[in-house]
Each structure stands twice: as C-alpha cells, then as structure tokens.
Amino acid sequence: EPFTNSRSLTVEALCAKAHFRCGHASGGCQVRMPVVLLPWHEQQCMYKPMKCFMGRVWSDCRWQGREVQWKEHLEEQHDDRLFRSSSADLEWNLGTRRKPLTGYYVFQAHDEMFNFYEIHDRQRVLFTMTCTSNRRDSKYNFAYEVTVLLPDNEALSMTQKFPVHSEYDKDILMEGTCVSIPLTELNRFLDQDKVLHYRVSVLAVKSPRRAKPPRQNLPQPADLEQAPNGGVNVKSVPTNMII
Ligand SMILES: [Zn+2]
Ligand SMILES: [Zn+2]
C-alpha cells in the first residue's frame, strides 16, 4: 500500500517538525518541543507536580506542589536538614529502622546542591550522594566523605570517600561506588541507644576528569536542557525505597 505508507510518513515528518506544549504548561512551563522529545522533557520538567521528598522520607511533611517551588519550601520548612556548608555531623538511630531509605539531607556547598541519602538493608548501611546540577559532568568536580565516629574517641573513627554521583546516573547505589559498611563492622560504633554518629563532607576535587565527547549521530538531550536553576531533583532514588 504505497499511498498509505507515504501518507503516514508525511504525518510523522510533520509531527517531528511541529512543536507541542509541555504537559505541565498549566503549572507554568513555557517549553515547546517536537513531539518525540516531549516525554523526555516532561519526565524532568521543573513544573511537574511532586510531593515533598523530605516528607516522603521522614514522614513529617505533607507539602505538594511543583518541583520548581520545592527549593523555596525546603529552605522555609526543612532548615534542620538543609546544610549551607560542606560538612555536617549527623545522627542515625539504628534502633528504629523502618524502611530502606531512612535518611535524606541536602547540602548547599561549592555553588551546587547535593542530595545525601542514608540507606540500609539486612547486611549493611549505605551512604550515597548526588550532585543536583543539570550538567551531568558536574559530578566529576566533587567527592564525598563519610566518617563514622566512635563515641568518646574520634581518633578511632573510620572514613570512606567516593566520587559524587549525578542525578542522571542509573544506579547511585552500585557496589563499589558508594559508602558501604557491613552491620557487623558497624556495631562497635553504636552508642548505648544504638545511635550512629557520623560526619559527612562534600569536597571539591582538584583534578576533574573530562566528560566523554558527545556521540555524533544521535540527538543529544543535553543540548536541550533548560538553564540550571538550582532545583533539587530526586529522580535517581528507586521509589520502592521510599514507600
Ligand atoms: Zn515542561
Ligand atoms: Zn516538606
């Protein structure tokens, strides 16, 4: 059926050229794009509806809004878990473990924002950090360090250091790419109340690695990214860890 084929090709060609409004336009998004790229954009659109991620992790906030408004909400309501410095001393009560993702904090440092996650399973605890920059190679400029403190004797603390992940990374918990401590090893660091005391630091790395050159013949979503706006994205945490 040559007629039908050429007809549908024409429609496809037209759709590829026409620009459509983002599905979150009612929320304020001005983006228009070829229809094939819209799903990609809408998935990371700053105007998509969201629930407060602090509330989802800590179960103490019911805020709902647009991703673009969340940073302001974070600054107003979650000051206790938003650090405007590159280092913080934290406590984790392992006596009251509930779900795999038990803790979530945000660091504002080095002119970037970083998500820090505290996770456990039956064998170990994991700590991982992502850079929220829209430029996916920004992560190469940073490392994070977790020091597990021994109560009353900091000299016997234990430190692990890893490169910061990007929110675009597929697996931010991959073995060997984040801080991982077996529970058996962790026990001696817990105080009488089963509380773990630890220190987190975000470090600027002096010799950043070069990002790979872009592939030649594929459209590069990176070229179409919106300007960085300092938003905090939470795309890379598997949702089954939060619920
Ligand atoms: Zn949009
Ligand atoms: Zn909140």
Side-chain angles (χ1 to χ4, degrees):
E1 310 252 331
F3 175 77
T4 316
N5 277 346
S6 71
R7 178 76 190 173
S8 70
L9 279 176
T10 307
V11 171
E12 258 174 46
L14 281 173
C15 281
K17 284 212 167 67
H19 283 50
F20 290 82
R21 275 152 65 100
C22 167
H24 308 302
S26 63
C29 185
Q30 305 279 322
V31 164
R32 285 168 171 274
M33 272 191 177
V35 71
V36 287
L37 289 171
L38 264 185
W40 166 80
H41 162 77
E42 285 171 355
Q43 208 258 321
Q44 58 172 23
C45 176
M46 292 302 291
Y47 293 89
K48 75 176 174 211
M50 68 170 283
K51 290 179 179 169
C52 176
F53 195 70
M54 281 288 174
R56 289 168 68 188
V57 174
W58 297 99
S59 307
D60 59 0
C61 175
R62 298 186 159 276
W63 181 90
Q64 294 187 32
R66 306 269 170 185
E67 211 168 290
V68 72
Q69 305 158 333
W70 189 59
K71 193 185 162 198
E72 200 181 323
H73 165 75
L74 189 68
E75 286 167 351
E76 284 170 2
Q77 301 296 321
H78 299 290
D79 222 21
D80 50 337
R81 295 181 183 125
L82 169 66
F83 303 109
R84 292 173 176 85
S85 60
S86 58
S87 185
D89 280 14
L90 300 172
E91 291 182 2
W92 179 0
N93 188 341
L94 281 126
T96 58
R97 285 178 287 161
R98 304 172 310 271
K99 43 197 176 181
L101 177 56
T102 47
Y104 168 58
Y105 302 90
V106 174
F107 287 83
Q108 275 184 319
H110 311 292
D111 297 321
E112 294 281 3
M113 286 185 88
F114 301 89
N115 290 324
F116 180 74
Y117 306 100
E118 191 185 82
I119 293 146
H120 75 91
D121 61 21
R122 282 190 183 82
Q123 285 90 38
R124 68 218 162 124
V125 296
L126 298 163
F127 301 95
T128 192
M129 183 178 275
T130 60
C131 180
T132 67
S133 171
N134 281 336
R135 289 183 301 116
R136 63 192 70 200
D137 56 350
S138 292
K139 65 175 180 177
Y140 295 120
N141 298 321
F142 306 103
Y144 72 105
E145 204 174 74
V146 172
T147 298
V148 177
L149 303 166
L150 195 71
D152 307 323
N153 194 348
E154 270 201 35
L156 294 174
S157 58
M158 181 174 72
T159 300
Q160 288 189 28
K161 182 176 171 182
F162 283 93
V164 162
H165 284 274
S166 156
E167 289 288 330
Y168 295 96
D169 290 355
K170 285 230 162 51
D171 187 0
I172 60 170
L173 294 172
M174 199 198 298
E175 193 65 46
T177 71
C178 63
V179 175
S180 169
I181 306 168
L183 288 181
T184 46
E185 207 174 318
L186 199 72
N187 274 332
R188 66 192 173 100
F189 292 100
L190 303 182
D191 66 16
Q192 311 94 297
D193 302 318
K194 293 208 113 192
V195 174
L196 179 71
H197 302 260
Y198 67 98
R199 183 169 300 143
V200 185
S201 304
V202 195
L203 312 158
V205 177
K206 287 259 161 54
S207 51
R209 279 179 277 169
R210 284 277 158 81
K212 285 181 192 156
R215 278 174 287 172
Q216 293 302 308
N217 46 9
L218 285 172
Q220 286 292 304
D223 297 339
L224 296 155
E225 272 165 24
Q226 298 143 265
N229 51 16
V232 179
N233 310 302
V234 285
K235 290 178 283 291
S236 48
V237 176
T239 39
N240 63 354
M241 299 209 129
I242 305 161
I243 309 308

